[in-house]
Amino acid sequence: MTLTERLRRLDVTTVIMWIIGGLLLFFIVLGSIQSILKGTYTPAQWFDFFVFGISQGSIYALIALGYTMVYGILKMINFAHGEVFMMGALTTYFLADEMNRRGVFDDKGALGPTLLSTLFGLIVLFAVAIFISMTVAVLLERVAYRPLRGAPRLVPLITAIGASFFLQYTARGLYGSNNRSYPNVDLLKGTVTFGQFSIQVVQIVVAVTAIAMMIGLYLFVQRTKTGKAILAVAEDKQAAALMGIDVDRTIVITFALGGAMAGVAAILYAIMFRQAHFFMGFIPGIKAFTAAVLGGIGNIPGAMLGGLFLGIFESLGPTLFLDGLGINSPNQLKDVIAFTMLVLILIFRPTGIIGERLSEKKA
Amino acid sequence: MALLEIENLHTYYGNIHALKGISLEVEKGEVVCLIGSNGAGKSTTLKTVSGLIRPRQGTIRFEGEEVIFLPAHEIARGGVVHVPEGRRCFAQLSVEENLELGAYSRNDKAAIREDLAHVYELFPRLKERRKQYSGTLSGGEQQMLAMGRGLMARPRVLLLDEPSMGLAPVLVDQIFEVIKTLHDEGTTILLVEQNAHMALQVADRGYVIQTGEIVLSDDAKALQHNEMIQRVYLGLA
């Protein structure tokens, strides 16, 4: 096809879209160059933004796994997944608070701030949060989604939104609408410094735990028999049943795994931001959904990559792109940046970063 | 008592009456073929047997036990293994992973390894491609994979749905060679085919299905010489 033919085939919408994309890209580059040249921020501060982005992004990624796995297997967006995360964090708060009062996390208690007691405390918190989020996710599937399997796709979607509100207000009814502040874990307070750069210990712990969980989940899905059954059911439920795979049970396992990841994310969020309330699932949930779309929904490594990418983008983006353009307090615009990215991805690359393989199959 | 007994099966798609009282039997060790044209109800029969579709009426007995209300995965675990039309291999898994999933309900690791070797012996092509994603295989290779995957379950009865569909003549011959080998090894097979000529050559007995009803059943040899069969299904004068 010659160039002129190609030009003739372009329709107006495509041209306008590309112009918008081009302008955005131009301002991003311009803003970045100016921000860096202005030198308001030191390299150490840029590094801080980056590290914060990684740890926040890894929390998004963990939640995104729940969205992406459920989408992969049921072709449905579980909009109540943010509430699965919230339930884990908010319910576990009461245990965390009690443990804190008994001095598990600081030097007031009889146990002292030993590595052992902190480690034990955190492991218990993780276990409880995983259990609660898993239970909520499995109940959700059982009560809200399974009876609607085979219904038109809009129906479970609306149910998911309803379930999301149900869980939010159940949490408010049970635990009240206060903002609960999670205990400060003494041993996670410090920073690690090398040269002019420093990283908070809590950020290291968050990123390392999240990435370890993601690798574990990936290996589980790729290597174990149950994992392969999940992949088989995601691809063709009837053919999977003909292999002797119990499709319903496999779907429950998928929800449970997604719930477990949300439970881990809940505690990581809690030790990083030290707060929990009944509405806390909404924004991280939507962000994680964005991350899943960004990576290519239905794709597990995609969700991990998308989460990290979104976290870094959101953390560096406002300062890097907007500060140089003379926009005041750009950090308040970080959600704008995140969701602009969602829109752009949907327009220019609906398959996500590595969603190609999946979409080819479904085509 | 036959291994698989189907009696008076009525299956509907919505209001469409697809099977109107099908009855057939498969004895242990037999290859039975079910021939008929497009839309006659061949695949529907197999899907009803393997539990993918629920019949409204009728009984299906496997080894004398009623299986009609079992979910599809339990029927498969019981040894009724359905190799579906259109192969339906798992495109995102490798050839070997597909075969391993065939043995999903089994736990005897050593025997699974033996069966894997046996499948590779029947289909050397699959061994060459074992690390490849099954989505990248040709149609013939995918058919081999689907059959191999079915064999990995150690079927007590193998339901083959149109194994020759859309394949080049050379490959059709290969597939039927394998069906003969399986027959010699004592595998019980219920074969659904549009290619009546090939099907009647490998089968012991055959049923002819037309618009949801069995219109004829006989020894394969006798069917091959039946005038109506020759005219309608074999294209002979």
Side-chain angles (χ1 to χ4, degrees):
Chain A
M1 212 176 353
T2 66
L3 189 66
T4 43
E5 257 176 67
R6 270 194 197 189
L7 284 176
R8 216 173 297 138
R9 286 193 185 191
L10 280 179
D11 61 303
V12 185
T13 350
T14 322
V15 174
I16 292 176
M17 283 309 166
W18 281 106
I19 290 175
I20 293 175
L23 276 176
L24 275 169
L25 200 66
F26 172 74
F27 279 113
I28 286 174
V29 174
L30 185 76
S32 306
I33 292 173
Q34 289 200 329
S35 302
I36 292 170
L37 288 182
K38 242 166 72 180
T40 324
Y41 296 94
T42 62
Q45 278 170 312
W46 288 118
F47 182 76
D48 276 349
F49 286 135
F50 182 72
V51 173
F52 178 80
I54 287 185
S55 34
Q56 178 159 27
S58 55
I59 294 177
Y60 290 157
L62 279 179
I63 308 174
L65 284 169
Y67 279 101
T68 227
M69 287 172 65
V70 166
Y71 181 84
I73 209 156
L74 289 179
K75 298 290 163 291
M76 171 208 140
I77 308 287
N78 178 12
F79 272 118
H81 191 62
E83 270 56 59
V84 170
F85 158 81
M86 174 273 289
M87 278 296 198
L90 194 51
T91 313
T92 316
Y93 159 77
F94 296 95
L95 179 67
D97 190 48
E98 186 59 33
M99 283 166 97
N100 187 45
R101 253 181 275 152
R102 286 163 196 255
V104 177
F105 300 119
D106 57 30
D107 50 11
K108 286 195 296 262
L111 290 163
T114 60
L115 186 62
L116 205 65
S117 82
T118 306
L119 208 60
F120 162 80
L122 286 176
I123 287 173
V124 170
L125 291 187
F126 277 118
V128 171
I130 287 173
F131 173 76
I132 285 165
S133 292
M134 225 174 185
T135 311
V136 173
V138 168
L139 282 177
L140 208 55
E141 191 273 337
R142 195 65 245 237
V143 177
Y145 304 144
R146 193 183 296 184
L148 298 172
R149 205 159 311 145
R153 278 166 73 176
L154 202 55
V155 177
L157 185 78
I158 293 165
T159 311
I161 294 170
S164 166
F165 281 117
F166 176 82
L167 288 171
Q168 269 175 28
Y169 290 96
T170 305
R172 193 173 84 159
L174 282 175
Y175 307 129
S177 54
N178 322 6
N179 198 342
R180 310 284 186 167
S181 62
Y182 254 83
N184 209 345
V185 180
D186 266 0
L187 284 181
L188 296 179
K189 270 180 189 163
T191 54
V192 179
T193 316
F194 42 97
Q196 53 172 328
F197 300 114
S198 64
I199 309 179
Q200 293 177 24
V201 174
V202 65
Q203 289 176 342
I204 299 176
V205 170
V206 167
V208 169
T209 314
I211 289 166
M213 290 305 293
M214 288 186 252
I215 292 171
L217 180 80
Y218 183 74
L219 291 179
F220 177 81
V221 171
Q222 295 293 321
R223 299 277 164 82
T224 66
K225 206 162 140 177
T226 312
K228 284 176 188 166
I230 291 176
L231 295 176
V233 172
E235 204 177 315
D236 186 337
K237 287 185 192 49
Q238 286 200 340
L242 293 181
M243 304 294 108
I245 296 169
D246 186 339
V247 174
D248 280 341
R249 200 176 138 251
T250 309
I251 290 172
V252 170
I253 292 172
T254 309
F255 271 85
L257 282 174
M261 293 298 137
V264 174
I267 296 304
L268 295 180
Y269 184 93
I271 59 174
M272 191 157 147
F273 298 103
R274 297 194 35 230
Q275 54 177 325
H277 52 97
F278 77 99
F279 202 61
M280 70 184 281
F282 182 69
I283 291 290
I286 296 276
K287 293 274 176 65
F289 168 66
T290 307
V293 173
L294 194 62
I297 193 146
N299 183 314
I300 291 176
M304 304 175 188
L305 219 67
L308 286 175
F309 194 71
L310 181 68
I312 295 169
F313 206 79
E314 200 184 271
S315 165
L316 272 176
T319 330
L320 187 61
F321 309 148
L322 301 178
D323 192 58
L325 297 173
I327 294 171
N328 290 327
S329 39
N331 261 316
Q332 292 181 3
L333 294 174
K334 72 184 175 104
D335 291 354
V336 175
I337 288 198
F339 295 123
T340 305
M341 195 151 77
L342 175 65
V343 174
L344 291 179
I345 286 286
L346 289 174
I347 293 172
F348 293 105
R349 198 173 161 80
T351 52
I353 303 171
I354 48 177
E356 210 129 46
R357 248 179 63 202
L358 184 96
S359 58
E360 267 172 19
K361 292 288 137 45
K362 304 294 172 219
Chain B
M1 181 185 65
L3 184 68
L4 181 69
E5 295 169 292
I6 300 170
E7 236 179 83
N8 192 30
L9 208 58
H10 288 265
T11 302
Y12 290 74
Y13 289 110
N15 283 323
I16 299 160
H17 199 168
L19 298 186
K20 302 166 185 161
I22 298 283
S23 298
L24 60 83
E25 289 188 349
V26 183
E27 299 282 347
K28 195 166 193 298
E30 242 185 348
V31 173
V32 173
C33 70
L34 183 60
I35 55 180
S37 53
N38 252 339
K42 305 183 301 290
S43 295
T44 309
T45 308
L46 290 196
K47 283 183 188 167
T48 313
V49 172
S50 61
L52 293 181
I53 310 176
R54 294 270 159 239
R56 259 193 222 174
Q57 224 192 85
T59 53
I60 300 169
R61 275 189 299 274
F62 178 60
E63 295 181 321
E65 265 177 63
E66 183 69 71
V67 295
I68 214 151
F69 294 111
L70 294 179
H73 67 269
E74 279 181 31
I75 294 177
R77 282 178 193 185
V80 180
V81 175
H82 181 179
V83 177
E85 184 181 1
R87 294 108 200 195
R88 319 247 313 239
C89 300
F90 301 112
Q92 297 177 44
L93 297 176
S94 72
V95 168
E96 194 151 302
E97 285 171 326
N98 266 275
L99 292 172
E100 281 164 6
L101 269 183
Y104 181 79
S105 45
R106 296 170 56 189
N107 283 316
D108 41 347
K109 282 213 172 124
I112 291 175
R113 232 174 296 125
E114 269 170 40
D115 287 356
L116 190 65
H118 184 55
V119 168
Y120 284 149
E121 209 177 290
L122 286 171
F123 304 107
R125 204 44 183 278
L126 294 183
K127 190 169 188 178
E128 290 167 30
R129 318 232 148 179
R130 53 197 247 256
K131 295 288 170 214
Q132 219 168 303
Y133 283 117
S134 77
T136 64
L137 298 181
S138 73
E141 288 162 347
Q142 289 194 11
Q143 183 58 48
M144 296 175 191
L145 179 56
M147 284 174 69
R149 192 177 61 176
L151 290 172
M152 290 300 291
R154 286 227 169 149
R156 312 264 270 282
V157 55
L158 190 63
L159 313 176
L160 292 178
D161 197 348
E162 303 266 9
S164 76
M165 193 173 59
L167 298 188
V170 190
L171 286 167
V172 174
D173 289 344
Q174 264 186 41
I175 296 285
F176 276 96
E177 246 351 280
V178 170
I179 296 176
K180 263 185 224 162
T181 312
L182 294 174
H183 186 16
D184 293 341
E185 288 171 5
T187 313
T188 313
I189 299 175
L190 176 55
L191 170 67
V192 153
E193 260 300 340
Q194 274 194 58
N195 187 339
H197 178 69
M198 294 300 277
L200 288 172
Q201 277 184 9
V202 295
D204 299 310
R205 289 191 301 116
Y207 291 84
V208 180
I209 183 169
Q210 260 173 21
T211 57
E213 283 170 293
I214 301 280
V215 292
L216 195 60
S217 74
D218 210 334
D219 280 350
K221 285 269 166 343
L223 286 177
Q224 273 176 316
H225 295 106
N226 181 299
E227 200 208 336
M228 188 273 276
I229 301 290
Q230 291 195 337
R231 194 159 30 83
V232 180
Y233 297 104
L234 299 177
L236 303 170

